[in-house]
């Protein structure tokens, strides 16, 4: 995996042309022009939308500005899902650019978690990495890293620096030389309906209505699942 640098670069630099539009009922001062961005698939909305927030705040009274959130065709977009995953689940069959609506009011408490700062995104991301390494290396690699390694991993993602990120992440993608590969490959199953997540270490579990079906998924059968190189789409 770590030798496939061209493939890793192609995945990392995948971009989604996106048009952000302020929700019409929230415009109070002047008309807000749409804002266009190329969104990195492997990042999170909260990390790449500072310019979007600043752009649309100009059209609002200061007292009307609260926590920013995004929606696509009536569905609130979860900030802790990678951008590529959100697009694939909700808009992969739509024409580009991806049209996202921006809100500063009426936060959907029942649908979204609050994101008080980028620290919350970092905590979520590092939790995902630790869960994955628990399966792949019994947490040995992530626990042997120093705090500066964790920070470099995070800053590489936050600042969209491929080499900075992969200088650390490659350690998480290597398996012991005495083994032929990973015994367990961590993965998540995302359901489009309700955007709910099921995650079970070393197994695949699907939910259909009220029926639960589960079976073991050894690494040799895991070709349909994405590994945690960070991205989860």
């Amino acid at each position: 995996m770590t030798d496939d640098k061209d493939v890793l670069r192609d995945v990392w630099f995948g971009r989604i042309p996106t048009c952000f539009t302020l929700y019409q009922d929230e415009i109070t001062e002047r008309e807000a022009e749409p804002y266009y961005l190329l969104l990195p698939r492997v990042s999170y909305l909260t990390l790449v939308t500072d310019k979007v927030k600043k752009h649309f705040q100009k059209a609002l009274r200061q007292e009307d500005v609260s926590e920013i959130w995004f929606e696509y065709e009536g569905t609130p977009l979860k900030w802790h899902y990678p951008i590529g995953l959100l697009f694939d689940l909700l808009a992969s069959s739509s024409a580009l650019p991806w049209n996202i609506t921006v809100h500063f009011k009426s936060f959907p408490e029942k649908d979204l978690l609050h994101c008080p700062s980028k620290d919350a995104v970092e905590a979520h991301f590092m939790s995902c990495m630790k869960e994955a390494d628990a399966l792949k290396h019994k947490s040995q690699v992530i626990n042997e890293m120093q705090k500066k390694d964790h920070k470099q991993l995070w800053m590489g993602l936050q600042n969209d620096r491929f080499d900075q990120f992969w200088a650390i992440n490659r350690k998480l993608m290597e398996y012991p030389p005495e083994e032929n590969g990973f015994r367990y490959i961590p993965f998540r199953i995302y359901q489009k309906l309700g955007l709910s997540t099921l995650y079970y270490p070393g197994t695949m579990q699907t939910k259909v209505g009220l029926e639960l079906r589960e079976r073991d998924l050894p690494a040799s059968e895991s070709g349909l699942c994405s590994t945690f190189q960070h991205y989860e789409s």
Side-chain angles (χ1 to χ4, degrees), residues 16-65:
I16 302 171
T18 306
C19 174
F20 291 89
T21 305
L22 184 62
Y23 186 56
Q24 185 64 36
D25 289 353
E26 297 187 18
I27 298 175
T28 56
E29 293 295 315
R30 60 182 176 82
E31 193 71 21
E33 293 293 325
Y35 194 85
Y36 294 85
L37 274 180
L38 285 173
L39 296 180
R41 289 181 56 89
V42 299
S43 191
Y44 297 90
L45 280 171
T46 313
L47 300 184
V48 295
T49 49
D50 285 347
K51 292 180 180 179
V52 175
K53 184 176 182 178
K54 292 177 181 178
H55 174 76
F56 288 118
Q57 280 181 336
K58 300 174 184 177
L60 301 171
R61 291 190 299 264
Q62 195 59 38
E63 59 268 26
D64 291 333
V65 176

Side-chain angles (χ1 to χ4, degrees), residues 88-218:
D88 291 344
L89 282 174
L90 297 171
S92 59
S93 60
S94 302
L96 294 174
W98 186 17
N99 291 298
I100 292 179
T101 303
V102 181
H103 295 265
F104 288 92
K105 299 179 181 178
S106 305
F107 190 89
E109 303 278 352
K110 294 183 179 179
D111 299 307
L112 295 181
L113 298 171
H114 286 281
C115 184
S117 69
K118 291 181 180 179
D119 290 342
V121 189
E122 179 181 3
H124 165 73
F125 169 74
M126 290 308 303
S127 176
C128 290
M129 300 300 283
K130 290 175 181 178
E131 288 176 352
D133 196 55
L135 286 175
K136 290 159 68 175
H137 304 110
K138 299 180 180 179
S139 298
Q140 292 176 356
V141 175
I142 198 79
N143 288 341
E144 289 175 0
M145 288 182 181
Q146 299 179 24
K147 186 175 181 179
K148 65 179 181 65
D149 296 326
H150 291 183
K151 183 57 68 173
Q152 178 175 333
L153 193 66
W154 166 248
M155 294 305 293
L157 174 67
Q158 178 175 288
N159 298 327
D160 196 24
R161 301 293 178 86
F162 174 85
D163 291 328
Q164 182 181 10
F165 178 85
W166 269 98
I168 303 299
N169 193 56
R170 63 178 180 79
K171 301 174 184 178
L172 296 166
M173 296 304 299
E174 295 171 347
Y175 51 81
E178 65 272 11
E179 297 184 15
N180 254 348
F182 296 117
R183 184 176 180 184
Y184 297 108
I185 296 180
F187 63 92
R188 281 180 171 165
I189 299 173
Y190 291 89
Q191 294 178 299
K192 184 174 182 178
L193 181 61
L195 287 182
S196 56
T197 305
L198 297 176
Y199 174 46
Y200 294 87
T203 64
M204 182 169 72
Q205 191 167 31
T206 58
K207 187 174 183 180
V208 182
L210 296 177
E211 178 187 1
L212 284 176
R213 297 181 296 179
E214 182 175 354
R215 70 179 180 86
D216 290 334
L217 187 73

